[in-house]
Amino acid sequence: MATDRSGSTVAAAGPCLLVLFGASGDLTKRKLIPALYNLVGDRLLAEEFAVIGFARRDTSDADFRDQMRRNISEYATDGVDERTWAWLQSRLYFVGGEFHDDEAYKRLEAKIKEVEDQHHTGGNVLFYLAVAPEFFDPIVQKLAVQGMVKQNDGRWRRVVIEKPFGRDLATAKALNDSLLKVLDESQIYRIDHYLGKETVQNILVFRFANGIFEPIWNRRYVDHVQITVAETVGVEGRGGYYDETGALRDMVPNHIMQLISLVALEPPISFHADAVRDEQSKVLRAVQPMTPEEVLQKAVRGQYGAGTIGNRRLPDYRQEDRVDSLSKTETFVAMKLEIDNWRWKDVPFYLRVGKAMAQRDTEIVVQFRRPPFALFRETTINDIDPNELVIQVQPDEGISLSFGAKIPGATMRIGSVDMDFKYSEHFGTEVATGYERLLHDAFVGDQTLFQRADMVEAGWRIVAPVLDVWSALAARDFPNYAAGSWGPKAADELMTRDGRRWHRQDR
Ligand code: BG6
């Protein structure tokens, strides 16, 4: 047992070797090595631990260690303690090679044996594929041919991949099918980095560690749910990827569906990975895919034009580097979804995601029904703000609940006030990469926070009709919102048509 930085007791991982494909890439240097470093600091790794970096470069172990040392100075979340770093550095190794080259895998296998002997990692290997998605399947197939993913004599072999998983339902299914030919589902750890966020993990705790919310968490009391993921950044040098992908694929079948499933799932029978994931999967399967006519009414797309955010001026999306100058790719999506099950029937889930928006804001708003009639003479029912529960995922992580209060004075006037919980005020701020928990879970074999094949496919199934209609009918009004605004007018109309409005939107 060890104590992490929050003071909780956590089991340290057992002996294992981490093989990092894409060891010279961005994810490795910005997130994975700093996350490992934090895990070392929290004493959550076994003594019998080592890392082999694998990448296309030809580098020695010593050069790799030097390179990682330089990177950690830049990307450590909280300064570098030399003793902690030395522990990790002495366990770093490197193999160079091409992902398609059989010889490289043989060299890797030999290196695994050598490092295993030295560090007693017990034959357990976590292959982390920090590479472009087109390499996921080829790498896994090569590992399988070499017998490197075979589990026997009590040793485990696991593979980590991170979204995107396919570009649509068909490609996601093809990827799952191919991986599942050579791996068991229990060996596949599909990361959605939203599940690494404390506030997202807290949704389950909030719902199920408290007795007072669950009884009202249903259609009798909830009017609707809104999920906003607004970013102020544009495409930030990722124009090539983004223009091929668009906001819908980039965010909705994955991150947004994770949020929806956690807010909407039924209480799992336990906190075991499959018990939780069964419920997530069930609720996603209950989201009704739209008909093409519904897509036209219930899904809105936008692309930003030039504008100002704070004191930053953004050009038209179409003028961004490696973006087509006539691009029809959306940088904003809003949608109204319906969950057809006993708990949520007729409770719309509205979602919106966008780049170059007025504020950075990821939040889930559960809006409760108004009281049935207005008791107070001067106040009509529409003057009473409905109670709102806001789960602020980022920034200013926290939860607030609004309620009506009498404004002091001789007359009976009602105003809305908030009960506010802020993580930073209560627990202080703990800086982390967001990958610590996920890596540790993969080392100890807990799949709760990883997406199962059926969940990935359920997410794509929900957005499939929208992808189809949008690709058949190219948008004609792009750009249709200014950078620094809250998206296109049609997104507001999606709400006003239903007599509702987006939360905290100061136009
Ligand atoms: C990524 C998307 O998955 O999530 C990015 O590809 C997006 O486009 C990012 O910016 C948002 O993550 P976060 O943690 O900043 O909300």
Side-chain angles (χ1 to χ4, degrees):
M1 288 288 172
T3 310
D4 73 5
R5 283 168 298 160
S6 67
S8 322
T9 311
V10 194
C16 81
L17 174 59
L18 170 66
V19 174
L20 264 179
F21 284 87
S24 52
D26 247 27
L27 186 63
T28 298
K29 71 176 180 205
R30 285 172 190 271
K31 302 284 185 191
L32 301 179
I33 295 288
L36 287 174
Y37 169 83
N38 286 342
L39 287 175
V40 179
D42 287 345
R43 284 185 304 226
L44 286 175
L45 299 180
E47 264 310 298
E48 303 82 10
F49 175 79
V51 180
I52 300 178
F54 183 102
R56 289 195 190 110
R57 280 182 326 187
D58 201 15
T59 299
S60 65
D61 293 342
D63 287 347
F64 181 56
R65 291 174 180 190
D66 288 348
Q67 182 61 49
M68 294 298 123
R69 177 68 190 85
R70 284 195 294 279
N71 292 338
I72 195 75
S73 305
E74 197 173 341
Y75 296 110
T77 50
D78 199 12
V80 182
D81 169 67
E82 287 308 332
R83 272 188 56 193
T84 307
W85 176 253
W87 189 98
L88 184 59
Q89 176 164 314
S90 64
R91 288 168 169 79
L92 298 179
Y93 299 87
F94 189 81
V95 173
E98 296 288 335
F99 299 148
H100 60 259
D101 178 13
D102 291 336
E103 290 306 311
Y105 290 81
K106 292 197 174 119
R107 287 201 300 281
L108 176 62
E109 201 179 7
K111 189 83 169 189
I112 289 177
K113 291 221 168 75
E114 184 190 316
V115 175
E116 228 164 62
D117 285 347
Q118 194 168 339
H119 292 278
H120 312 291
T121 51
N124 302 323
V125 184
L126 183 72
F127 296 101
Y128 197 119
L129 275 47
V131 297
E134 63 266 30
F135 296 114
F136 293 166
D137 192 46
I139 291 175
V140 169
Q141 299 305 329
K142 290 282 183 206
L143 291 172
V145 169
Q146 297 295 330
M148 292 161 80
V149 289
K150 215 187 267 147
Q151 313 195 92
N152 50 30
D153 306 329
R155 71 171 204 192
W156 54 255
R157 297 286 158 116
R158 297 175 188 143
V159 173
V160 180
I161 52 178
E162 180 159 356
K163 77 146 259 253
F165 310 120
R167 326 185 5 92
D168 51 25
L169 181 57
T171 49
K173 257 175 109 13
L175 175 64
N176 282 335
D177 291 349
S178 188
L179 296 179
L180 287 166
K181 284 205 175 93
V182 294
L183 297 169
D184 187 72
E185 179 63 42
S186 63
Q187 293 177 277
I188 310 175
Y189 287 68
R190 297 180 192 80
I191 287 192
D192 181 305
H193 83 277
Y194 261 56
L195 291 179
K197 295 181 192 291
E198 286 290 349
T199 39
V200 175
Q201 292 167 21
N202 190 48
I203 298 171
L204 289 180
V205 175
F206 181 79
R207 286 188 56 194
F208 301 122
N210 295 294
I212 60 172
F213 301 112
E214 207 45 33
I216 55 169
W217 208 256
N218 58 53
R219 63 192 306 275
R220 278 190 76 177
Y221 300 97
V222 176
D223 178 74
H224 73 276
V225 176
Q226 299 184 13
I227 296 181
T228 295
V229 179
E231 298 181 271
T232 50
V233 292
V235 288
E236 290 199 301
R238 293 161 77 223
Y241 157 80
Y242 198 84
D243 207 35
E244 284 291 306
T245 308
L248 180 61
R249 285 189 169 94
D250 189 41
M251 300 292 289
V252 180
N254 32 66
H255 306 325
I256 298 284
M257 289 306 151
Q258 295 299 330
L259 298 180
I260 291 183
S261 68
L262 294 176
V263 171
L265 57 66
E266 293 300 316
I269 56 162
S270 76
F271 259 14
H272 283 124
D274 275 333
V276 176
R277 297 189 302 172
D278 284 347
E279 297 305 334
Q280 285 182 279
S281 181
K282 263 161 62 180
V283 82
L284 293 179
R285 285 190 346 247
V287 176
Q288 282 312 300
M290 295 181 205
T291 61
E293 294 72 38
E294 284 173 329
V295 171
L296 300 175
Q297 294 155 14
K298 297 184 183 173
V300 172
R301 55 186 154 170
Q303 185 191 76
Y304 67 85
T308 307
I309 305 170
N311 49 16
R312 230 163 19 100
R313 178 96 194 138
L314 245 67
D316 280 353
Y317 167 71
R318 291 174 175 179
Q319 283 166 17
E320 296 274 9
D321 198 25
R322 288 183 295 144
V323 168
D324 184 343
S325 59
L326 296 172
S327 174
K328 302 283 189 202
T329 301
E330 78 285 351
T331 59
F332 175 97
V333 180
M335 270 201 256
K336 176 182 175 183
L337 295 176
E338 313 272 352
I339 301 179
D340 273 3
N341 68 11
W342 199 267
R343 185 188 288 257
W344 296 116
K345 181 75 187 144
D346 295 330
V347 179
F349 280 61
Y350 298 93
L351 60 96
R352 60 176 170 167
V353 311
K355 298 272 186 200
M357 307 270 288
Q359 275 172 31
R360 177 162 180 250
D361 179 22
T362 301
E363 63 171 29
I364 300 164
V365 181
V366 178
Q367 193 175 104
F368 293 93
R369 291 188 189 282
R370 289 196 155 86
F373 82 109
L375 187 60
F376 310 102
R377 266 172 301 152
E378 288 95 3
T379 316
T380 71
I381 198 72
N382 287 327
D383 293 331
I384 299 181
D385 287 330
N387 300 107
E388 265 173 359
L389 179 93
V390 181
I391 300 174
Q392 188 69 39
V393 176
Q394 58 192 19
D396 301 329
E397 289 78 355
I399 296 179
S400 71
L401 178 66
S402 71
F403 59 95
K406 180 180 174 303
I407 300 174
T411 57
M412 177 61 90
R413 285 184 307 135
I414 298 172
S416 188
V417 295
D418 286 339
M419 282 200 287
D420 237 340
F421 152 66
K422 293 242 184 301
Y423 272 81
S424 57
E425 285 168 12
H426 205 84
F427 296 115
T429 38
E430 176 175 306
V431 268
T433 62
Y435 281 78
E436 290 80 359
R437 166 85 194 263
L438 296 173
L439 273 169
H440 184 259
D441 282 357
F443 293 143
V444 299
D446 182 348
Q447 289 187 301
T448 314
L449 296 180
F450 297 86
Q451 287 194 272
R452 219 169 47 187
D454 56 330
M455 293 163 67
V456 172
E457 290 171 23
W460 281 115
R461 199 165 289 122
I462 294 164
V463 300
V466 185
L467 285 173
D468 290 347
V469 171
W470 286 2
S471 64
L473 301 172
R476 277 178 296 177
D477 60 346
F478 281 1
N480 60 356
Y481 72 98
S485 71
W486 281 103
K489 244 176 82 213
D492 294 346
E493 287 160 6
L494 183 71
M495 292 299 250
T496 48
R497 260 206 313 271
D498 292 350
R500 300 184 172 110
R501 62 193 155 89
W502 293 108
H503 180 243
R504 226 185 268 158
Q505 181 165 310
D506 29 41
R507 273 178 185 275

